[in-house]
Amino acid sequence: MNLETDALQKMLTRLQLTAVRDQLDNLLDEAARRELNQRETLSFLCEAEIARKDQRRIAMGLSIAKFPFVRTLEDFDFHSQPSVDPKQIRELATSRWVANGDTLLLLGPPGVGKTHLAVALGREAIQRGYTVLFSPAAVLAANLLRAHHGRRLEERLGHYGKPKLLIIDELGYLPFEADAAHLFFQLVSRRYERGSIMVTSNRAVSEWATVFGDAVVATAILDRMLHHSHVLTIRGDSYRLREKKRSGLLKVSTEMAKK
Ligand code: ADP
Ligand code: MG
C-alpha cells in the first residue's frame, strides 16, 4: 500500500465511510467500466455507502424489535385469505399510519395470519426508519406488574414508551389482572398521539372490558386507542389447518390418479 492510499484509507475511516473504504478498488473499477464522470463517480460511491448504512440500520432495528419469527408481506398468500384486502395492506406498508402515531388493530380467530401480518408490517416500518418493539401481551403485562412492584415502573414505561411503533401480540388470550389493566392504561396514555400501537387480538373490541377486567379502564384505554385507528378484521379458518387439509386432499387425488 503506498502512502497516498494509506492516507485515503485513514480519511475514509475517520469519516466513517467504511463501505467506500472496504470496496474502494472494486467501486472505482466499476465506475471506470461504466465510464462515469467525476460527479457520477462521487454519487456512485455515496450510494454504496448509504446502502451499507441502511443495511446495518435495518439489521440493528430488526434485532431490537424482538420479532418471534421472520415473516414478510412477500410470504403472505393473499389468495388463500380473501378477507384481507391487498390494497389496504399496501397502504399500511407505507407506514404513514406509524408516522401519524395511529393505532392498528388486527382482529380475527387463531391461525388466520394476524401475527404474520403484524411482523411483516413491523419490518416495513423498520425499513422506513422507524423504531419498533414487538411484545406478546402477556409478557408486557407481566413486565409492567413486576416493574410496578419493584418500583421500576417509570423505567419500564420508558422502555415500552420509546419505540415509534409498539406491537402487542395476542391481547385477550389471557385476561389482564386488575393492576395490569391500570398499568396498561398508563402505557397507552403515555404513547397517545406520540407513538403508534399495533394490537393483534382474537377478541372483538366489544369484548375488551372482559379482557381488562374492568369496564371503566377498558373504556379509557379504548378511548385513546381508537381515536386515530385502523381496523383489519380477518375471517376464515386457520391457515395451518387449511394447509393440512389441502395436503390431505392432494394425497387422496394422487392416489386416485395412480389407480
Ligand atoms: P394468528 O396470529 O392469526 O394466530 P399466525 O400469523 O401465527 O396466525 O399464522 C399461523 C401460521 O400460518 C404462521 O406460520 C403464518 O406465517 C402462516 N400463515 C397464516 N396466514 C397465512 C397466509 N395467508 N399466507 C402465508 N402464511 C400464512
Ligand atoms: Mg398470533
Side-chain angles (χ1 to χ4, degrees):
M1 204 187 292
N2 65 35
L3 276 180
E4 211 174 299
T5 323
D6 196 29
L8 177 56
Q9 293 276 325
K10 282 192 176 129
M11 285 192 284
L12 290 171
T13 304
R14 188 164 155 201
L15 292 171
Q16 298 183 355
L17 301 175
T18 51
V20 176
R21 181 195 63 197
D22 298 346
Q23 312 164 47
L24 189 59
D25 290 340
N26 286 342
L27 289 170
L28 290 177
D29 286 350
E30 177 64 17
R33 204 182 54 77
R34 292 197 206 167
E35 300 182 358
L36 301 184
N37 64 30
Q38 288 176 341
R39 189 177 282 267
E40 287 164 345
T41 302
L42 187 55
S43 179
F44 178 61
L45 296 176
C46 288
E47 276 166 22
E49 190 60 48
I50 287 172
R52 160 90 68 99
K53 288 203 163 43
D54 278 349
Q55 207 180 13
R56 289 250 168 103
R57 182 182 53 72
I58 290 166
M60 176 70 81
L62 288 172
S63 81
I64 290 171
K66 305 242 161 26
F67 292 126
F69 47 46
V70 179
R71 292 291 186 282
T72 65
L73 289 180
E74 290 77 50
D75 308 330
F76 193 79
D77 176 8
F78 287 93
H79 291 290
S80 72
Q81 193 45 269
S83 69
V84 174
D85 176 9
K87 228 172 68 199
Q88 188 184 8
I89 299 295
R90 268 199 302 278
E91 169 57 32
L92 291 169
T94 65
S95 304
R96 257 192 292 269
W97 64 281
V98 180
N100 295 338
D102 297 351
T103 301
L104 172 62
L105 304 182
L106 295 178
L107 307 176
V112 292
K114 299 183 298 298
T115 304
H116 184 137
L117 287 174
V119 169
L121 290 171
R123 293 176 70 96
E124 296 291 328
I126 290 169
Q127 274 163 18
R128 283 163 182 78
Y130 300 107
T131 48
V132 176
L133 180 62
F134 179 105
S135 175
V139 172
L140 183 128
N143 282 341
L144 287 177
L145 269 176
R146 196 172 327 125
H148 179 54
H149 292 138
R151 302 189 181 282
R152 288 179 296 102
L153 182 61
E154 194 48 40
E155 188 190 307
R156 266 292 112 173
L157 286 175
H159 173 73
Y160 289 122
K162 212 161 69 187
K164 183 67 184 166
L165 169 61
L166 178 65
I167 303 178
I168 304 170
D169 194 36
E170 300 198 341
L171 190 80
Y173 275 93
L174 290 172
F176 273 45
E177 291 176 41
D179 275 357
H182 278 103
L183 299 173
F184 187 70
F185 168 72
Q186 286 190 45
L187 176 61
V188 170
S189 302
R190 177 172 295 223
R191 296 189 58 87
Y192 180 59
E193 289 191 332
R194 266 185 276 169
S196 279
I197 296 182
M198 170 163 26
V199 169
T200 80
S201 181
N202 61 335
R203 303 288 202 97
V205 171
S206 56
E207 297 173 64
W208 285 22
T210 326
V211 172
F212 292 116
D214 179 327
V216 177
V217 180
T219 307
I221 291 170
L222 284 170
D223 182 54
R224 281 156 185 76
M225 287 198 20
L226 299 183
H227 188 194
H228 305 283
S229 65
H230 309 260
V231 182
L232 218 137
T233 304
I234 312 178
R235 278 173 284 273
D237 297 335
S238 158
Y239 183 80
R240 270 181 292 223
L241 290 182
R242 237 172 340 165
E243 287 293 284
K244 279 204 186 109
K245 276 186 213 157
R246 191 152 66 189
S247 58
L249 278 178
L250 281 176
K251 252 181 241 149
V252 171
S253 58
T254 43
E255 265 160 29
M256 273 164 48
K258 275 187 219 149
K259 281 179 190 164

